[in-house]
Amino acid sequence: MLRFTKMQGLGNDFVVIDAIHQAVNLDAAGLRRLADRHYGIGCDQILLVEPPPSDEVDFRYRIFNADGSEVAQCGNGARCFARFVRDKGLIDRDEIRVETASGRMVLRLEAGGEVRVDMGVPRHAPAEVPLLAAEERLGYTVNIDGVDWTFGAVSMGNPHAVITVPDVDAAPVARVGAALERHELFPERANIGFMQVLDSHHARLRVYERGTGETLACGSGACAAAVVGMLRGALQDPVRIDLPGGALRIGWRGRGTPVHMSGPAVTVFEGSIEA
Ligand SMILES: N[C@H](CCC[C@H](N)C(=O)O)C(=O)O
């Protein structure tokens, strides 16, 4: 039997598995089954807690989308990861250093129950998003079904395209999100954010996530949207991002500096499953 903990960060939900104290042998099909909301446990992503690859970090943190694809960043997942290892007694400190496929992150459990994540320095026109333009631009345009869509491109360790829209409730997230996620412009696919700026410190956001579809919240997507908005002068540090599942607080002091994200992390239930 495989023990797991079901968790959520603003409704972005996770199956978290301690792969230190139990053997975990899951291929892509096994991951998809765990994530399936009818035949398995159901979640947006699966998070694995693994031993640290060096004494410079406390854990390795691996992330798999519901479609079984492994990715290098998950902001809401990072907060749940911190809550999990602390509550399970796998660490006795409130500051946790993790190694991910995109580098190192520092997670901090704060008084009041929120978790603050150093999401690293955003990369622009990143390798995963080889755009038509060789140089970084604040806007790239692609035509979908006869309509031009302009987006900013940012990597938070995972690729994001951010489209500014007048009303997120009316944004064609499912149709345009799905078309852009798999667009040839993004050979590793991409997460597609639809952002409505309310004022210079506040925006609404919906995200069609790579490998999962629209989620109730996307932490790395909120960071990417805040970065694109600030680069365009539409947003100023700090920024509150309202997602369908709730609000995240994002801080960024400009190019070359890390993005910080703060928000909740909640344990829903414990379980075990034949895997
Ligand atoms: N779908 C993302 C991974 C999960 C990111 C999201 N759940 C977050 O909170 O950052 C990707 O394929 O890069």
Side-chain angles (χ1 to χ4, degrees):
M1 294 293 273
L2 186 63
R3 294 186 313 284
F4 67 86
T5 299
K6 184 76 190 319
M7 302 186 78
Q8 58 87 8
L10 300 182
N12 186 198
D13 63 340
F14 308 101
V15 168
V16 188
I17 297 171
D18 173 350
I20 300 174
H21 300 94
Q22 56 184 345
V24 179
N25 300 301
L26 290 166
D27 60 8
L31 290 160
R32 282 194 294 273
R33 192 174 64 78
L34 288 188
D36 189 287
R37 297 190 185 281
H38 300 283
Y39 296 101
I41 305 163
C43 64
D44 292 328
Q45 280 88 28
I46 292 159
L47 311 181
L48 290 193
V49 180
E50 294 191 343
S54 77
D55 58 10
E56 294 172 19
V57 294
D58 302 304
F59 301 98
R60 183 192 300 279
Y61 162 39
R62 291 178 71 186
I63 305 139
F64 299 86
N65 283 318
D67 69 355
S69 58
E70 181 163 10
V71 293
Q73 178 61 281
C74 179
N76 290 322
R79 301 198 312 276
C80 290
F81 186 104
R83 167 78 53 235
F84 177 87
V85 294
R86 195 75 175 82
D87 291 354
K88 293 289 182 184
L90 301 183
I91 193 167
D92 60 3
R93 281 185 276 108
D94 287 343
E95 181 163 292
I96 299 150
R97 302 160 302 166
V98 295
E99 185 95 25
T100 71
S102 72
R104 290 184 186 156
M105 299 168 76
V106 177
L107 324 175
R108 185 195 307 278
L109 291 148
E110 297 191 314
E114 290 218 323
V115 184
R116 185 173 190 265
V117 180
D118 174 340
M119 292 287 286
V121 177
R123 295 196 305 279
H124 306 284
E128 315 102 306
V129 187
L131 297 155
L132 298 182
E135 79 293 347
E136 173 205 338
R137 288 207 310 255
L138 292 186
Y140 305 86
T141 299
V142 65
N143 188 285
I144 293 174
D145 300 336
V147 176
D148 280 349
W149 295 90
T150 298
F151 58 87
V154 169
S155 172
M156 294 305 306
N158 58 347
H160 289 268
V162 181
I163 300 170
T164 299
V165 294
D167 176 2
V168 286
D169 295 327
V173 174
R175 178 173 62 82
V176 174
L180 256 180
E181 181 218 3
R182 299 177 171 282
H183 193 280
E184 62 185 4
L185 211 51
F186 305 118
E188 293 186 13
R189 298 186 290 162
N191 301 282
I192 314 302
F194 297 79
M195 172 169 67
Q196 174 186 352
V197 176
L198 301 176
D199 66 42
S200 59
H201 292 280
H202 192 189
R204 296 179 66 202
L205 179 70
R206 291 171 66 187
V207 182
Y208 187 93
E209 285 199 31
R210 174 176 62 169
T212 299
E214 183 175 2
T215 57
L216 290 176
C218 179
S220 56
C223 295
V227 167
V228 167
M230 286 192 234
L231 287 175
R232 288 180 174 169
L235 293 173
Q236 293 171 20
D237 177 55
V239 173
R240 168 178 159 153
I241 300 285
D242 288 353
L243 298 124
L248 289 172
R249 288 180 288 114
I250 311 294
W252 186 50
R253 296 197 180 286
R255 291 178 196 278
T257 70
V259 180
H260 289 95
M261 169 194 65
S262 295
V266 176
T267 297
V268 183
F269 63 87
E270 307 282 350
S272 57
I273 188 170
E274 284 290 345

